[in-house]
Amino acid sequence: MKKWRSLLRKATIMAQLRLFFYFFLVGFTFFIIFAHILLNQMITDMLHTYFHKMICLLVLLVTMQFAPTAYCQTQAEKPSVAVRLLDEFNQSPSATKANAFFSALLKEELIDEPLTFTQQTPRDTLCQQVWYWAGEYFYDQQQYQKAEDYAIRALPLCEKGNNVGIHGDCLSLLSLIQIRKGRFEAAARYAKECNKLDMQVGDPDNIASSLNTLAGIYMSMRQPKEAERYVMKGIDYCKKAGNEKRLAVLYGMASEVYHHMEKEEESLDYATRACDIEKKAGREDKVAVRQAQRAAALINLHRYDEAKKALEEAIPEFRRDGNRHSLGIACNQMGLLLHREKNDSAAVGYLNEALAIFQEQNDLFNESQSHKSLYNVLRLSNPELAMQHIDRYEELRDSLYDRNTGELLSKYAAEYGNAELLQQQEEEHHAHTRDILIAVLVLLGLLLGVWIFRSIERRRYKRRMETLLQKIDLLSKQNERSQESKELEGGEAEKAWQEEEIIEDQDQQFLAKVIAEVEKALSNKDYSVESIAEQMNMSVSTFRRKLMNITGESPKNYITAIQMNKAATLLEKQAGLSVNEVSSSCGFDDAANFSRVFKRFYGVAPSQYSKMKEEHLNALRQSDDEQ
């Protein structure tokens, strides 16, 4: 009975009503049976009539409840016509099956005109075209793994067929797929090969397409200045080609670029241009994408009402169209907008929806942005959950933007510049030299900047550690004096207590207790954060938060600083101790690890520190003797 009561409490109101109705129906059935046995025929006839009505009602309710679900499951499991025809082609490739597949793509408006083949068309050509367009189809369906599988199968056939156009299209598709999957190194490699082919052919429309892809890669790598160079050239080529559809795409990319450069007026202008082109062409799904881009600029321009209106138009269209990726981006934007309006509860709902979409699609870049946004929204209301999101964001950021990828993209940028200059034979040598000099200067500038930054950080870290060690040393000595005063008796104890500097500040009392507990725990090497928090009668999260608020340091760093202070004290007062003995006294199992940590704090090895202090004391004694 307890189990049933628990289930009823957890059930929804509709579920409870349905359950009550079913029990009522069972009871009524038993009542009819007993009535038939015990009562006269007239009453049972009347009850039978009602019973039949109840049975019909039950059948209707069951049909209404389960039929839609069964229908939806059947539809979900049923593959589309295009997929079915593709499977049939893979089983036995033929021109007839290829033509049927392309007819299905035409009906789904993936292609603008039918592709037809004759029985004399070579098998490799059929496979090349079908597999490439299968990749395009699955990319449009946001099934990126299947899209990649088919594009990779088509690529060697494209190379073998010497069809530069389809070869470039296949490389472009693979590059776009890699961007969606967060594999920027592979994306850059495919995009470079595609652009090289396009420049050889000289078709401005294809050149504009590959330049747009390169701009997208640099955007994903958070290098908007490089992306701007590519997208502006792409717009120039696209205007020469007169392709309005691609021009809208490039305008949209330009909007993204200027948004990341925080030039929001330019971003809004390009997004509006793209939106106008899409509206003119009647492409409502693309209009929604441009509205989302407009919203991003409007939010940063503090034009929140306009931004909200744009997103409220875009999000329902994304849901209707099944564009999950754009829906995730729009939900991220709506979450950011609601956060700025101080409506954090609604913001969390949109951001969690976006996060689920990007995790489902393995879109690491946009997943990292969702984690970052959730951190900003939750950091005051739920600090622990916020820390989980920022940790995941940093993990994704480090994996996506590593040094090797950045160097590879710089190399591709230089190669693209050289490819352009090949068309200008008279200036080739001078331009090449200029690019090399610029690259060297940029590299030297970057190295100098990194060196300066690391030097500043090292100095800041050293000053911070010196201040921290001084405070710990002071509190540690006060702990020692307090302990000594407790061991004295009578008047001596009272005198020592009066001479001792009393720690009145509660924060300092807390830190003094932490130091005492850590020093006590070093002997048995049980000084983990969890153990110290337990000794302080605090939860780990409360202990961590309080220590961070007072010192600005994590518990692990603070405990390490206490160990280093004790090590320095031992090396100063007991010069005869070996490094191994000091290491063990400070809770380290490995003397080599102890030496590394000590050098990071004091700038010298433990053995050198001991000698340095001894030389300093000798110099002081010699100075006193001379005086």
Side-chain angles (χ1 to χ4, degrees):
M1 289 300 295
K2 289 182 179 178
K3 183 177 179 182
W4 278 103
R5 284 198 295 271
S6 175
L7 288 173
L8 282 172
R9 282 196 299 270
K10 292 179 181 179
T12 63
I13 293 174
M14 287 303 298
Q16 291 175 6
L17 289 172
R18 209 158 39 232
L19 191 62
F20 173 77
F21 177 75
Y22 292 154
F23 277 119
F24 171 76
L25 210 57
V26 171
F28 186 75
T29 303
F30 279 108
F31 177 69
I32 289 292
I33 294 169
F34 284 112
H36 184 73
I37 296 171
L38 300 176
L39 301 179
N40 60 43
Q41 188 64 36
M42 182 185 69
I43 296 175
T44 53
D45 288 344
M46 180 184 67
L47 290 176
H48 270 299
T49 302
Y50 286 113
F51 178 70
H52 289 309
K53 290 181 179 179
M54 294 298 288
I55 291 294
C56 292
L57 181 60
L58 175 62
V59 171
L60 179 62
L61 286 173
V62 171
T63 303
M64 291 174 64
Q65 180 175 357
F66 294 108
T69 304
Y71 175 77
C72 292
Q73 289 175 346
T74 303
Q75 292 300 312
E77 293 171 0
K78 183 180 178 181
S80 69
V81 174
V83 173
R84 180 174 56 79
L85 292 171
L86 176 62
D87 290 339
E88 291 177 4
F89 176 85
N90 289 334
Q91 291 172 6
S92 58
S94 69
T96 303
K97 293 178 180 179
N99 292 337
F101 171 70
F102 284 111
S103 295
L105 295 189
L106 183 64
K107 288 180 181 178
E108 295 193 25
E109 298 183 353
L110 187 66
I111 56 178
D112 298 326
E113 55 187 30
L115 294 176
T116 55
F117 303 94
T118 65
Q119 297 300 326
Q120 288 72 39
T121 304
R123 179 190 174 101
D124 282 355
T125 302
L126 292 175
C127 291
Q128 174 205 81
Q129 292 289 329
V130 170
W131 289 343
Y132 163 71
W133 282 104
E136 289 279 8
Y137 172 79
F138 285 117
Y139 179 82
D140 186 66
Q141 297 295 313
Q142 299 178 15
Q143 298 182 40
Y144 300 125
Q145 186 56 54
K146 287 186 177 180
E148 182 182 17
D149 293 341
Y150 276 104
I152 287 175
R153 290 171 72 179
L155 185 60
L157 297 176
C158 294
E159 294 172 348
K160 180 181 176 182
N162 294 320
N163 185 336
V164 177
I166 191 70
H167 187 190
D169 289 342
C170 193
L171 289 168
S172 177
L173 174 61
L174 281 165
S175 180
L176 292 172
I177 292 168
Q178 301 309 317
I179 291 173
R180 293 300 189 194
K181 298 180 75 173
R183 299 173 183 171
F184 300 113
E185 181 177 341
R189 185 170 67 252
Y190 287 125
K192 182 207 74 166
E193 293 177 13
C194 177
N195 182 252
K196 190 174 180 181
L197 284 175
D198 292 339
M199 295 297 289
Q200 288 174 2
V201 175
D203 182 349
D205 191 37
N206 287 340
I207 293 172
S209 175
S210 58
L211 288 172
N212 181 68
T213 302
L214 282 166
I217 294 171
Y218 277 97
M219 278 300 301
S220 299
M221 293 301 297
R222 300 190 303 180
Q223 298 183 34
K225 285 297 293 180
E226 285 296 322
E228 181 189 19
R229 183 164 76 101
Y230 289 115
V231 77
M232 289 297 107
K233 283 191 171 294
I235 288 172
D236 291 339
Y237 277 109
C238 195
K239 287 179 178 178
K240 292 177 185 177
N243 187 337
E244 285 285 305
K245 186 175 180 180
R246 195 178 305 284
L247 186 60
V249 174
L250 283 156
Y251 280 159
M253 179 60 71
S255 175
E256 295 280 354
V257 168
Y258 286 116
H259 173 62
H260 282 79
M261 293 172 69
E262 299 182 355
K263 296 180 179 180
E264 302 300 345
E265 292 290 353
E266 289 91 336
S267 175
L268 180 59
D269 177 54
Y270 278 105
T272 304
R273 290 192 209 179
C275 192
D276 291 342
I277 293 174
E278 304 290 11
K279 284 181 179 178
K280 185 178 177 182
R283 293 187 288 265
E284 293 300 324
D285 55 335
K286 301 302 180 186
V287 171
V289 174
R290 306 309 167 205
Q291 288 285 38
Q293 291 172 333
R294 291 184 70 251
L298 288 166
I299 289 171
N300 284 353
L301 289 170
H302 305 290
R303 293 159 62 175
Y304 298 138
D305 291 340
E306 293 176 65
K308 198 168 187 178
K309 182 180 178 183
L311 288 174
E312 286 172 348
E313 290 179 14
I315 289 175
E317 180 61 35
F318 291 145
R319 295 192 197 280
R320 282 193 297 271
D321 191 56
N323 188 343
R324 300 274 293 163
H325 188 264
S326 295
L327 175 61
I329 293 173
C331 286
N332 255 348
Q333 291 174 332
M334 184 64 90
L336 177 61
L337 175 60
L338 292 169
H339 173 55
R340 294 192 179 186
E341 291 183 342
K342 310 298 182 185
N343 189 357
D344 285 347
S345 59
V348 168
Y350 277 101
L351 293 172
N352 278 329
E353 183 179 0
L355 179 61
I357 289 171
F358 296 134
Q359 287 176 335
E360 167 195 312
Q361 296 183 342
N362 196 30
D363 185 339
L364 302 182
F365 173 78
N366 281 306
E367 181 189 342
S368 71
Q369 300 309 301
S370 295
H371 283 296
K372 185 179 180 182
S373 298
L374 280 164
Y375 164 75
N376 289 326
V377 173
L378 295 169
R379 62 191 180 89
L380 297 178
S381 61
N382 194 339
E384 291 188 23
L385 183 57
M387 288 303 298
Q388 294 176 20
H389 284 295
I390 199 64
D391 288 344
R392 179 59 179 159
Y393 163 73
E394 290 176 351
E395 179 185 341
L396 290 171
R397 181 193 61 188
D398 293 341
S399 65
L400 289 173
Y401 311 125
D402 57 32
R403 180 181 174 187
N404 292 335
T405 304
E407 290 177 349
L408 182 69
L409 290 174
S410 298
K411 174 186 173 185
Y412 290 163
E415 289 178 1
Y416 167 69
N418 292 339
E420 277 192 309
L421 295 173
L422 286 173
Q423 299 175 1
Q424 306 171 13
Q425 294 181 359
E426 294 181 0
E427 301 177 5
E428 180 178 1
H429 177 71
H430 300 293
H432 185 61
T433 305
R434 181 195 62 200
D435 287 347
I436 291 175
L437 288 174
I438 291 173
V440 170
L441 289 174
V442 169
L443 181 60
L444 289 174
L446 286 173
L447 291 173
L448 180 62
V450 170
W451 181 80
I452 292 172
F453 176 77
R454 294 191 66 180
S455 299
I456 292 172
E457 285 298 307
R458 278 198 297 268
R459 283 198 293 270
R460 285 179 180 172
Y461 180 79
K462 187 176 179 181
R463 285 197 297 270
R464 197 170 88 241
M465 288 303 105
E466 286 175 353
T467 303
L468 181 61
L469 288 168
Q470 288 172 3
K471 291 179 180 178
I472 289 174
D473 187 51
L474 177 62
L475 290 170
S476 182
K477 288 177 179 177
Q478 288 175 348
N479 281 341
E480 290 178 8
R481 289 199 299 272
S482 176
Q483 187 64 31
E484 290 172 359
S485 66
K486 291 177 183 177
E487 293 174 356
L488 296 175
E489 297 179 356
E492 291 184 358
E494 185 178 352
K495 182 179 178 182
W497 180 259
Q498 292 173 352
E499 291 177 353
E500 182 184 356
E501 181 181 353
I502 304 300
I503 307 173
E504 296 179 351
D505 186 83
Q506 290 184 354
D507 289 344
Q508 298 302 305
Q509 289 178 354
F510 171 75
L511 294 178
K513 188 175 180 183
V514 171
I515 293 168
E517 293 296 340
V518 172
E519 290 181 342
K520 191 190 305 179
L522 290 179
S523 58
N524 59 10
K525 299 182 181 179
D526 186 17
Y527 54 87
S528 65
V529 176
E530 292 77 9
S531 177
I532 299 303
E534 184 179 351
Q535 294 301 319
M536 298 290 292
N537 295 321
M538 301 171 76
S539 69
V540 174
S541 58
T542 304
F543 175 65
R544 183 189 305 276
R545 186 162 50 250
K546 184 166 184 178
L547 192 61
M548 286 283 290
N549 288 339
I550 297 173
T551 66
E553 297 290 339
S554 67
K556 185 177 179 181
N557 284 349
Y558 198 75
I559 291 172
T560 304
I562 295 171
Q563 292 175 280
M564 293 302 101
N565 179 68
K566 180 171 183 178
T569 303
L570 290 173
L571 290 169
E572 290 176 18
K573 294 183 177 180
Q574 302 181 38
L577 290 176
S578 67
V579 173
N580 284 335
E581 290 172 327
V582 174
S583 169
S584 180
S585 299
C586 295
F588 283 84
D589 292 323
D590 184 8
N593 183 38
F594 164 73
S595 297
R596 281 194 300 272
V597 176
F598 189 92
K599 188 172 183 179
R600 193 171 74 243
F601 272 76
Y602 290 98
V604 294
S607 55
Q608 293 174 319
Y609 181 86
S610 182
K611 292 177 183 177
M612 184 178 67
K613 287 294 181 181
E614 187 176 349
E615 290 173 1
H616 179 65
L617 290 173
N618 290 336
L620 289 176
R621 292 193 195 99
Q622 186 176 357
S623 176
D624 292 340
D625 293 341
E626 289 176 356
Q627 292 178 0

